[in-house]
Structures are given as C-alpha cells and as structure tokens.
Amino acid sequence: MPIDKIIFDLGGIVVPEKWNHILEEMAKFTQVDTSVIDNLTSKLRPQLIRGEISLLDLYYQLLTDRNDITLQKVLEHHIALHKSVATERDPQIMDLIKNLRNNDYTVACATNTEREIADYVKRSQDPIFSHFDYAFISTDLRLSKDTPEFYKKVAAHLKASPKQTLTVDNMRGCFNAARSAGLNAILYGQFKEGYHQLLIELRSFGIRI
C-alpha cells in the first residue's frame, strides 16, 4: 500500500531550533547561570513535553527562593522569546509541504513542546499548525515523540497503517521510535546536502514531488 500520510517534525526542520538563544536570554533575565537552567530543563523535560508539568512549574522550581522577580513575568518573557523566533520558516520546506498537499498527500506536523508554548501557537494569528492537515502535539497526546506509542497513536488518528505513513525528523531518538512503531522514516539531520537529499529520499519512498 503506497504512502499517503507524511509527518514533519517542526523544530530543526520546518522552523529553526532556537533553544540555545532562549536559554541564554532567560539566563540574563533571571540572572541564573545557563548551565543551571539547562540542567533543570533537561531533568524535567520528559514531564514538560508530556504536559504533566508546565513551564510555570519549571520556573517555580528554579526560582523558589527568589523574591525579586515574579514567576508570571518570567513566563511572559519566555513566551515573548519564543514569539520572536517562531515566525521563522524554512522556505524550501514550506514550499515542499504545499506541493505535497497539492498532490493529495495528507501532511501533518509533530512536535515536542510545553503547554504554554502550544497554547500560544494555537492562539496566534498565523499559527504554524494552519499549514498542515493535522498537528500532533506532545502535550495533547501526553506522549513524547521519542516513544513508539506516540507514532502508533498518530497513525491510528490518521486512520492509516504504519506502512502508509512516513515521518521526517532530525532527531535520531524520534526516528528510531517511528521505525519501532512500524512507520517509514527519514532522518533529516544525516544529510550533508540537506533539502536536496531529502527530495531524493522522499522519491525513494515513491513520494510524488
């Protein structure tokens, strides 16, 4: 059965990965060392992206002994930083997505994110999600993209067998999880030639471009 469902990871493929920029700016704003913020975020990341805790919970743990700064101001600054970079898109990938949809493929996006960021993007005037037929968000599914269960749930929602579904991701953990769930997968980060090699890989799966 031919592939007719294609899923693109957002961060690092459709939009640039900007965590290091956000990390540095949040360190300046909170006057907390970047390594402290990064270590705590890494520790809590599984719970954050499953929606079990929020960014507000993260900053509460980080700043619990501070009286000179409010958690709401910290959260607002984090969201503002995300907003400042969220409008960036890879124009070639955006053209590819449009082309695939015009060729009658169902095109979805998938992302690991936090509750507040997902809510902001859903409310924004030009949400990235509007460029896709479906958006699968870790906090909505209560699952991380680096687990096979995430992709099994996505395929079920799309009413497609795993073999009808192809995912494009730049993280090996997510690539491996998709393969473990039976999906076809392309690891975008392995290509030195980037976009043009991606087109070759897509065509090798029989995708009409």
Side-chain angles (χ1 to χ4, degrees):
M1 193 170 289
I3 294 167
D4 59 3
K5 310 287 191 300
I6 303 171
I7 306 161
F8 285 87
D9 173 42
L10 285 183
I13 297 182
V14 180
V15 298
E17 183 56 65
K18 293 289 188 175
W19 167 242
N20 286 338
H21 169 71
I22 292 174
L23 174 63
E24 290 172 4
E25 292 302 314
M26 288 307 299
K28 293 176 187 175
F29 188 78
T30 60
Q31 298 182 326
V32 176
D33 191 86
T34 54
S35 64
V36 175
I37 301 176
D38 198 29
N39 288 339
L40 181 61
T41 303
S42 297
K43 177 184 174 182
L44 299 180
R45 185 159 177 74
Q47 295 165 274
L48 280 166
I49 61 181
R50 290 194 301 263
E52 295 167 4
I53 64 172
S54 66
L55 281 172
L56 202 61
D57 295 322
L58 166 71
Y59 286 118
Y60 175 79
Q61 290 197 37
L62 182 71
L63 303 168
T64 187
D65 296 324
R66 292 275 295 276
N67 298 318
D68 60 323
I69 190 168
T70 67
L71 293 177
Q72 192 58 40
K73 289 290 185 185
V74 173
L75 178 61
E76 289 171 0
H77 190 68
H78 186 119
I79 294 172
L81 287 169
H82 176 85
K83 182 179 179 180
S84 71
V85 300
T87 56
E88 295 182 45
R89 309 278 190 270
D90 184 311
Q92 290 180 310
I93 296 293
M94 295 305 295
D95 285 346
L96 173 61
I97 290 164
K98 184 177 180 180
N99 179 282
L100 290 168
R101 295 180 76 187
N102 287 340
N103 282 339
D104 296 323
Y105 289 99
T106 297
V107 183
C109 65
T111 185
N112 280 338
T113 192
E114 304 86 12
R115 282 190 224 159
E116 293 93 340
I117 300 302
D119 289 345
Y120 160 73
V121 176
K122 289 174 185 177
R123 293 194 312 267
S124 63
Q125 291 184 347
D126 181 27
I128 184 67
F129 302 144
S130 69
H131 297 281
F132 298 88
D133 298 298
Y134 297 93
F136 297 104
I137 306 167
S138 62
T139 51
D140 289 346
L141 272 63
R142 313 289 283 188
L143 290 166
S144 171
K145 276 197 316 101
D146 60 0
T147 62
E149 290 74 22
F150 181 96
Y151 296 97
K152 290 176 183 178
K153 185 168 279 193
V154 166
H157 187 91
L158 293 173
K159 296 184 170 70
S161 73
K163 291 303 179 186
Q164 288 177 272
T165 310
L166 169 68
T167 186
V168 181
D169 207 292
N170 67 324
M171 300 298 291
R172 183 167 291 278
C174 300
F175 167 83
N176 290 339
R179 293 281 300 273
S180 295
L183 277 70
N184 303 286
I186 295 174
L187 181 61
Y188 186 67
Q190 70 180 326
F191 307 140
K192 292 181 180 178
E193 298 84 359
Y195 175 76
H196 296 292
Q197 184 62 31
L198 173 61
L199 298 184
I200 293 170
E201 293 288 322
L202 287 169
R203 291 185 179 114
S204 74
F205 281 100
I207 304 300
R208 305 181 311 279
I209 302 172

